[in-house]
Amino acid sequence: MTATGNGKKSKQPLTAGSALVPQGTAIEAASHNAYLRARGIDPRGPLQLDIWPDTVREIPNDYARSALFTVRNKKEPRASMQGAIVFHVEKAVKITYTGMELRADDDELVWQQILDYAKRSPLGEPIEFNLHQLCQDLGWSVNRTYYNRLRACITRLKANEVRVENQRLGRGVAMSLIREYEFEGGGEQGTKYRVWIHPNLIMLFAGKNSTRIEWAKYREVSPIARRLYDYWASHKQPFPLRLDTFYKMCASTCSTPRKWKQMVKAACVELAKAGMVGKAWVDEESVFCER
């Protein structure tokens, strides 16, 4: 088994029963545990995501309504970000990101699929899969090109920090999307993976603060359509969304408002044709949805 980073054997991962706040004061730990208990979660563990149906995937609302996963052009180099403020549609939520830019085109899908594997075990325990399986579950072709794309995604998901401060919930949490991974097989780059997700991820799911999406349809539509669906699906009522706000939520670099409006209109058509919404349209400077 080969470890990431400096090539040394990886340290012992956090287990699901580990204290979620291993350091800090007793008051901080008590507050943290009270937060989880108030949301029906026993902080003593094991801490596990809901076992959602295999036909759906789930994403935290605080991520779904932010520009954590961008829709920039594939030809545009990914930005390297250091303590960058990530746009969020809610003023009560602040996300600070360090790492290579993540995109809806691939990173968001790969992370959601890895979380689907993770739902079957307590958080903090290893998740095992191979790249052939991951390609199939994403609906991607099984070949060297996509294997390399997956490896790059996994690296980006590991090499970051996402810091979320939610004033409404009165809590904050910072972690990498993937805490640690190991790989083996297929020469130096590996095809079999063992991945660990930090138990603190439960903080972003606690209290039903997450959104389920229809996987087969979701993965087939364009990144802009997926981000639009992220927003609508994460609300009980699909509130209208201003085009300029959605532009920021996508961290788009589209050159003109007119072109952006055309792209959002096309995304509305996609979602309606896919049966993911009843109706979606752009009127003036906002985009609307009927389920």
Side-chain angles (χ1 to χ4, degrees), residues 28-253:
E28 289 171 338
S31 174
H32 183 280
N33 293 343
Y35 173 87
L36 291 177
R37 287 195 182 96
R39 287 154 181 79
I41 297 173
D42 186 346
R44 295 171 298 179
L47 301 164
Q48 190 165 348
L49 300 172
D50 288 343
I51 307 296
W52 51 78
D54 291 340
T55 56
V56 304
R57 300 293 181 266
E58 192 153 343
I59 185 172
N61 289 343
D62 283 342
Y63 289 177
R65 301 168 186 168
S66 78
L68 182 60
F69 299 102
T70 75
V71 299
R72 291 172 183 166
N73 191 293
K74 294 179 182 179
K75 297 180 180 180
E76 188 173 350
R78 293 176 189 256
S80 178
M81 305 160 74
Q82 179 67 42
I85 302 299
V86 172
F87 179 81
H88 198 285
V89 296
E90 297 179 19
K91 293 182 179 179
V93 181
K94 178 182 177 182
I95 296 182
T96 309
Y97 180 78
T98 295
M100 291 300 294
E101 176 191 341
L102 302 175
R103 293 189 175 172
D105 185 49
D106 46 20
D107 300 307
E108 183 177 26
L109 294 175
V110 172
W111 189 65
Q112 288 184 26
Q113 182 55 45
I114 290 175
L115 281 193
D116 191 65
Y117 300 148
K119 74 184 181 184
R120 296 174 176 85
S121 304
L123 293 170
E125 292 191 358
I127 310 153
E128 296 187 353
F129 58 88
N130 59 59
L131 297 186
H132 182 277
Q133 174 189 4
L134 187 51
C135 277
Q136 289 186 320
D137 289 335
L138 290 166
W140 291 3
S141 298
V142 180
N143 57 43
R144 181 180 298 179
T145 297
Y146 282 97
Y147 276 18
N148 288 336
R149 189 177 183 185
L150 287 176
R151 292 183 183 112
C153 286
I154 291 170
T155 296
R156 285 190 295 271
L157 293 170
K158 161 69 172 67
N160 64 64
E161 181 188 83
V162 186
R163 179 184 176 91
V164 180
E165 301 172 68
N166 192 320
Q167 295 176 11
R168 178 170 46 82
L169 299 179
R171 302 300 303 179
V173 63
M175 73 193 90
S176 298
L177 293 173
I178 289 177
R179 179 180 178 269
E180 184 175 355
Y181 70 87
E182 298 175 347
F183 57 88
E184 65 179 9
E188 294 182 359
Q189 299 189 64
T191 57
K192 298 179 181 178
Y193 280 75
R194 181 176 295 160
V195 169
W196 286 265
I197 302 294
H198 201 292
N200 263 337
L201 183 68
I202 201 69
M203 294 284 288
L204 298 180
F205 283 85
K208 305 299 182 182
N209 287 307
S210 56
T211 294
R212 294 184 178 181
I213 55 177
E214 299 178 59
W215 185 238
K217 295 177 179 179
Y218 182 86
R219 70 187 191 191
E220 294 299 323
V221 297
S222 69
I224 293 177
R226 286 202 299 270
R227 299 298 352 265
L228 192 55
Y229 188 74
D230 286 345
Y231 175 80
W232 281 331
S234 67
H235 289 88
K236 291 183 179 179
Q237 296 295 331
F239 300 110
L241 181 63
R242 286 187 54 85
L243 290 175
D244 56 353
T245 300
F246 184 50
Y247 181 87
K248 295 174 184 177
M249 195 188 107
C250 290
S252 175
T253 54

